[in-house]
Amino acid sequence: MAESFDFGGRISKQKHPTKIHETRAETDLANNMAQCINVGSKTQTPPCYETRELTKEALHNVGDLHLNGNVEHCCRGCFCYFEKSHTSVLGMRELAAAKGAKIICADDNEICANTYKKKPSKMQPHPMSCNSLFIYPLQCNFSGRKYPMDWIELVKKKEVDFTQSCGGQWYVAVDAAAYVSTTLLDLDRYKPDFVTVSFYKMFGFPTGIGALVVRNSSANVLKKTYFGGGTVLVSTARERFHVDRQGISDRFEDGTVAFLDIVALRHGFDTLHRLTGGIDNICKHTFSLGRFVHHQLTSYHHGNGAKVAVCYCDTDFEDMSTQGAIVNFNLLRANGSFVGYAEVDKMAQLHNIHLRTGCFCNTGACQWHLGLSTDTVLDNYKAGHHCGDNRDLINGVPTGSVRISFGYMSTFSDATNFLNFIKGCFVEGKLQIVQPSFNKAGSFQVKQNKTADNVGVIHGSKISDTGIYVASSKVLHCHRTTSVKSNIDFDGNKSPAVPLCPQGHRDDNYRQQTIYSSHHRVISDIFIYPIKSCGAFQVDSWQLGSRGLAYDRHWVIVTGSGVCLSQKRETKLCLIQPTVNLDLGLLKLEYPGADSIEIPLSVDESQVSDGHICQTKVSGDRIQGTDCGDPVATWLSSVLQRPGCRLIQQSQNDTRLCKLDSNDRTAPGDTQISLANQSQLLLIARSSVLGLIQHIADRHSTVETSMDLKVDVDSYVGRFRANLVVDRGQAFAEDDWTEVQVGTQNFICQGQCSRCQMICVDQSTGERSKEPLSTLATFRGRKIPFGIHLCHDPSGSHGNTISVGDSVLPTLMTDPVDQNQNT
């Protein structure tokens, strides 16, 4: 759309009928589409639409300028876009500006004020006739606000101030991608010139298929320069001559369309209607769910009376004609500070809840709702924040938010599960509910538009008779105690474990050391992880190399498509037990119930054939590696039950550098790392693990028991996949270290390690649970840190060996930094 719109005003003399132009696609598919988009009762032919990815093709085709013709008589029109539009519209802006169109940005307040108050225009009309384009979303993908359809005619009739800045004819394009997924679009009543829709957003398949619906009377302003296969009647090779096909879809559908995906659309529409009974039912169902969640979420308060969430909504969520089924929010702690959206996303994944975070490709709405000025956005970018990263808070201010969206497949159980997740993970103290407004019957009152029937919720394929979810007026309480002493596993169940005596000593045959009373710290455990995300290899003494501990995360398993495999995707990786035999130069791999296999620790890369040299990506970095061969690949595919797995060894010449940001405490020079996510080494303290265990016990238990707390400390330690474990000292004291000497080796501390759901995998069984991440998030603050990153500083070290029992002498700091964990 953006590439094709003629701002120059070269109006064709050809007369066009008022009907929508016929497409190449089958008529029955168009009729199915008409169930969700009404193209008019008098229209005898189906709408014109092309199967193109929405944001990359449909919008792109409307906004580009047509420059051919007599320059003396050519003017440039205006491109006006709504401020709270999708990023794709900003891309249209750049195309329009590059061809000389005047750029105007308008928000809803400006449009409403200039229109309904009919203020006299202060803008000077353009002296020449030209074409101009206004584009806005029918529903905001950030807040769910449905914008007035009346804007279409107001702009086309030039009854809005900004239309006076350009003469000629104004055309209107509407982004209906979010709108038509839950709401009927009536093109018989409202007559935009161009409509973009996304089928993926309507029924979840197929990905990347959208449609550009073009009103036939407006098709003449779409001028095309590029042409591909099937879009011309004739063309010559030596001379610049070609004749376009006449039909708009024939002209714009270059090459082979995604016909297999297009065939699936008919089944999508049929299924949508069969399951729901029609788009009107979907609208009622999704709005009821969104309204229920919105009102509940805004009523939640912490035990001290502070709000749990701030919702970003442009309406009171009472009228389905002005509000879609989107709830956008940020969470607040009891002290009023924000919970970062990255932390919410981590916890949501742990509870099998899918939500989106960030700015959702809608910078304008994000800036408006979060109060972010352009200067703030630029300052955040200079500070290292960019679209898609996890920098959710900068100076305590959110850079984005959390969004949940309801579709036809969503259920009341989904809504209550989400609310229970919020209550269980982010409410501090006893949950207090401040009731929203109710009707006399005590239920949420849904405000209906003039054409709506009774609002309802779909149960299976029917609408409930009551139609409304009744909210209980009972104040809910979340009981938590702090004097719990019981045997628990990560799910709060009773389980046998290793006992700790009341004085805090570990009672086993391996060691007995004071955890809290002594500040003389020592190394208690050393682990290396030869294969990324696989089991640990515990040693008493080990050498350091240029990338950290020798052979630590030196190999990686990739899928048949070349994607790095981690425990986030495959928990059975932890059951692969590697053993490094330095004397024999072999890496031995074992797995329960399978024969072991051995591979060389190193290969002569000069003798490796080209077929064994490969590349893969680890944490966003492309690394050079060597394929370890078919035998081990077959073994891995068998034990993991994943065909196509390969084992890749990092090349000796690979120069992957430390992932920590430059504004953190930096290591000397360019620090090389292995296949770890962030740093050379990771350190945790056993005392911090014990502190976490106590928090878990306090959080999950509700009865007083004996003074003995029985836990499997080593199992907890193993979940954090650290290289170095420190014994003795205060819990979480390592957060404040800036440097640390281990024996004769010096290390630079590079910030705290931010944790994700991987710590919820039991490394001895591969089973996943909600703890300890769930509890860790309740008291460790943003990014859920546990442990610290280290970088070896050889300039201040003697030798290259560290051993169990080495003394640990830290230097304190005052500004800890969160980072991502190694895997």
Side-chain angles (χ1 to χ4, degrees):
M1 189 192 296
E3 189 177 16
S4 313
F5 189 82
D6 178 14
F7 289 95
R10 289 167 24 90
I11 304 298
S12 171
K13 295 182 179 180
Q14 178 183 357
K15 294 184 178 180
H16 297 272
T18 57
K19 66 183 180 181
I20 304 295
H21 197 285
E22 186 172 3
T23 181
R24 289 191 305 183
E26 298 181 6
T27 302
D28 58 352
L29 175 59
N31 291 335
N32 276 282
M33 186 174 175
Q35 295 175 3
C36 299
I37 302 177
N38 180 17
V39 297
S41 58
K42 297 181 180 180
T43 300
Q44 299 300 318
T45 56
C48 174
Y49 61 94
E50 65 175 61
T51 52
R52 286 290 187 267
E53 185 175 351
L54 175 65
T55 58
K56 293 183 180 179
E57 293 290 344
L59 291 176
H60 187 268
N61 284 335
V62 171
D64 194 30
L65 308 180
H66 185 70
L67 294 179
N68 295 334
N70 190 336
V71 177
E72 292 184 7
H73 301 288
C74 184
C75 72
R76 291 293 167 253
C78 294
F79 175 76
C80 181
Y81 64 97
F82 188 59
E83 181 182 24
K84 301 170 187 175
S85 294
H86 193 274
T87 302
S88 304
V89 174
L90 303 187
M92 294 176 66
R93 174 192 66 188
E94 299 308 306
L95 283 170
K99 297 296 181 68
K102 180 177 180 179
I103 306 300
I104 302 173
C105 178
D107 62 29
D108 47 347
N109 293 326
E110 293 172 336
I111 297 175
C112 292
N114 292 334
T115 299
Y116 302 125
K117 293 183 180 180
K118 298 187 180 298
K119 299 183 346 183
S121 174
K122 298 179 181 180
M123 299 182 180
Q124 296 298 321
H126 200 285
M128 300 182 66
S129 177
C130 49
N131 297 327
S132 298
L133 179 67
F134 172 60
I135 182 168
Y136 76 101
L138 294 183
Q139 178 176 307
C140 178
N141 73 313
F142 186 95
S143 66
R145 164 76 187 280
K146 294 179 181 178
Y147 296 106
M149 301 278 281
D150 294 337
W151 288 0
I152 297 171
E153 288 303 313
L154 290 172
V155 171
K156 296 177 78 169
K157 292 179 179 179
K158 303 181 184 179
E159 295 181 4
V160 183
D161 257 10
F162 65 72
T163 60
Q164 302 303 310
S165 61
C166 289
Q169 186 167 348
W170 274 86
Y171 294 82
V172 177
V174 294
D175 177 4
Y179 186 87
V180 297
S181 63
T182 60
T183 310
L184 176 69
L185 174 57
D186 189 350
L187 294 183
D188 190 28
R189 179 179 178 184
Y190 303 101
K191 304 182 185 301
D193 300 286
F194 312 103
V195 182
T196 60
V197 299
S198 170
F199 297 119
Y200 173 76
K201 288 180 172 61
M202 295 179 73
F203 34 78
F205 180 86
T207 304
I209 295 294
L212 174 60
V213 182
V214 180
R215 184 163 293 279
N216 198 54
S217 58
S218 306
N220 60 294
V221 295
L222 295 183
K223 308 298 182 181
K224 191 163 181 267
T225 302
Y226 169 82
F227 60 90
T231 59
V232 294
L233 292 173
V234 63
S235 64
T236 61
R238 289 186 174 274
E239 288 76 27
R240 291 184 56 195
F241 174 79
H242 74 277
V243 178
D244 292 327
R245 290 187 180 272
Q246 295 304 305
I248 186 169
S249 61
D250 295 333
R251 216 164 55 237
F252 279 89
E253 289 179 343
D254 294 292
T256 303
V257 298
F259 56 88
L260 293 179
D261 288 337
I262 294 174
V263 170
L265 297 181
R266 176 180 179 181
H267 301 285
F269 284 110
D270 289 344
T271 301
L272 202 68
H273 189 271
R274 184 178 70 254
L275 293 179
T276 67
I279 195 70
D280 286 336
N281 289 341
I282 295 175
C283 184
K284 300 167 190 176
H285 170 65
T286 55
F287 177 78
S288 184
L289 291 176
R291 185 179 183 279
F292 170 71
V293 169
H294 173 270
H295 287 0
Q296 288 291 298
L297 191 59
T298 54
S299 72
Y300 288 175
H301 290 67
H302 295 286
N304 65 353
K307 288 185 178 181
V308 171
V310 52
C311 288
Y312 305 116
C313 187
D314 294 319
T315 72
D316 57 4
F317 228 115
E318 293 292 337
D319 187 348
M320 71 175 68
S321 68
T322 61
Q323 178 64 46
I326 290 176
V327 181
N328 196 310
F329 63 94
N330 268 315
L331 296 178
L332 300 167
R333 304 189 194 279
N335 63 5
S337 62
F338 283 97
V339 179
Y341 60 74
E343 180 179 337
V344 178
D345 188 36
K346 289 179 182 179
M347 299 303 296
Q349 293 177 40
L350 192 61
H351 289 74
N352 296 319
I353 293 175
H354 179 71
L355 44 75
R356 283 199 60 185
T357 59
C359 279
F360 321 107
C361 298
N362 194 327
T363 305
C366 188
Q367 285 186 245
W368 193 89
H369 283 283
L370 300 182
L372 302 175
S373 66
T374 299
D375 289 340
T376 301
V377 172
L378 296 179
D379 288 342
N380 290 347
Y381 176 72
K382 293 177 182 178
H385 171 59
H386 57 80
C387 181
D389 68 11
N390 286 328
R391 287 180 174 252
D392 48 13
L393 296 174
I394 296 181
N395 298 323
V397 178
T399 60
S401 59
V402 183
R403 187 191 75 185
I404 59 173
S405 306
F406 293 101
Y408 73 91
M409 75 297 293
S410 301
T411 65
F412 183 56
S413 177
D414 295 332
T416 56
N417 286 342
F418 167 76
L419 293 172
N420 289 336
F421 156 69
I422 296 295
K423 290 185 288 187
C425 296
F426 297 102
V427 175
E428 301 176 37
K430 293 181 179 180
L431 174 66
Q432 304 294 329
I433 292 184
V434 178
Q435 292 286 2
S437 300
F438 293 97
N439 63 11
K440 295 181 180 180
S443 62
F444 289 119
Q445 179 64 41
V446 178
K447 183 178 180 181
Q448 304 176 12
N449 59 31
K450 296 181 181 179
T451 61
D453 297 325
N454 290 333
V455 180
V457 179
I458 298 175
H459 298 287
S461 60
K462 298 180 179 179
I463 304 297
S464 63
D465 295 333
T466 57
I468 301 297
Y469 295 120
V470 179
S472 170
S473 59
K474 179 181 179 181
V475 177
L476 302 179
H477 299 280
C478 181
H479 297 285
R480 293 181 181 175
T481 62
T482 57
S483 57
V484 178
K485 308 288 188 297
S486 65
N487 304 339
I488 62 169
D489 64 15
F490 284 105
D491 292 311
N493 301 317
K494 304 294 181 179
S495 65
V498 180
L500 290 178
C501 67
Q503 289 77 17
H505 299 156
R506 189 163 185 264
D507 184 16
D508 59 17
N509 296 325
Y510 180 66
R511 77 178 68 81
Q512 282 190 332
Q513 294 177 340
T514 302
I515 300 300
Y516 295 107
S517 61
S518 174
H519 294 280
H520 182 67
R521 301 178 178 90
V522 296
I523 295 294
S524 64
D525 304 275
I526 300 175
F527 299 100
I528 66 168
Y529 305 86
I531 303 178
K532 183 178 177 67
S533 264
C534 290
F537 176 52
Q538 188 170 9
V539 297
D540 292 329
S541 182
W542 205 251
Q543 291 186 343
L544 288 156
S546 60
R547 296 171 177 166
L549 291 171
Y551 298 110
D552 180 54
R553 297 173 173 92
H554 196 50
W555 291 265
V556 63
I557 299 173
V558 299
T559 65
S561 57
V563 177
C564 172
L565 197 59
S566 74
Q567 289 184 32
K568 292 180 182 179
R569 182 177 299 180
E570 180 54 80
T571 60
K572 291 197 296 287
L573 286 173
C574 67
L575 302 180
I576 296 178
Q577 182 60 55
T579 302
V580 176
N581 191 322
L582 296 176
D583 295 333
L584 299 178
L586 295 174
L587 175 67
K588 181 179 180 180
L589 303 182
E590 297 175 286
Y591 189 89
D595 295 333
S596 62
I597 190 171
E598 295 177 338
I599 62 172
L601 283 177
S602 60
V603 295
D604 185 354
E605 295 184 359
S606 63
Q607 302 299 318
V608 176
S609 63
D610 292 341
H612 286 78
I613 300 297
C614 57
Q615 290 185 343
T616 188
K617 293 189 73 173
V618 173
S619 298
D621 296 330
R622 187 163 297 280
I623 61 108
Q624 292 287 128
T626 303
D627 191 298
C628 295
D630 293 337
V632 68
T634 302
W635 186 88
L636 290 170
S637 299
S638 176
V639 299
L640 296 175
Q641 298 180 339
R642 283 178 170 264
C645 289
R646 308 294 298 186
L647 184 65
I648 307 300
Q649 182 178 18
Q650 187 179 19
S651 172
Q652 298 173 1
N653 299 322
D654 186 64
T655 56
R656 185 168 179 253
L657 300 179
C658 179
K659 291 283 289 181
L660 300 185
D661 297 328
S662 59
N663 59 338
D664 300 325
R665 286 163 300 284
T666 55
D670 293 329
T671 304
Q672 293 189 15
I673 60 174
S674 61
L675 303 180
N677 283 359
Q678 292 285 316
S679 62
Q680 289 187 343
L681 297 95
L682 183 62
L683 177 147
I684 66 172
R686 189 172 290 269
S687 58
S688 300
V689 175
L690 289 173
L692 170 60
I693 290 169
Q694 184 64 57
H695 276 278
I696 294 175
D698 291 345
R699 185 166 179 258
H700 282 277
S701 299
T702 57
V703 295
E704 294 287 344
T705 61
S706 65
M707 292 298 293
D708 292 332
L709 176 63
K710 298 180 179 180
V711 291
D712 187 350
V713 181
D714 288 335
S715 174
Y716 281 49
V717 169
R719 290 176 180 243
F720 292 97
R721 298 180 62 80
N723 296 113
L724 305 179
V725 181
V726 176
D727 218 345
R728 307 175 186 173
Q730 295 294 326
F732 304 108
E734 65 274 11
D735 293 349
D736 298 326
W737 297 356
T738 184
E739 295 181 9
V740 60
Q741 180 177 332
V742 179
T744 61
Q745 305 301 310
N746 283 349
F747 296 91
I748 294 176
C749 303
Q750 295 181 289
Q752 300 173 9
C753 179
S754 179
R755 295 299 180 168
C756 68
Q757 67 268 29
M758 270 193 61
I759 64 174
C760 297
V761 178
D762 188 329
Q763 298 297 297
S764 63
T765 65
E767 296 179 355
R768 194 191 302 272
S769 59
K770 295 180 181 179
E771 294 289 4
L773 185 64
S774 182
T775 295
L776 199 63
T778 64
F779 73 98
R780 287 293 286 162
R782 64 183 298 261
K783 299 296 181 71
I784 320 179
F786 194 97
I788 58 174
H789 293 285
L790 298 180
C791 169
H792 185 224
D793 181 9
S795 63
S797 303
H798 301 283
N800 63 349
T801 303
I802 56 176
S803 304
V804 170
D806 281 351
S807 61
V808 177
L809 303 175
T811 301
L812 297 182
M813 67 178 183
T814 58
D815 185 23
V817 179
D818 295 345
Q819 294 296 333
N820 292 327
Q821 69 181 20
N822 289 339
T823 53

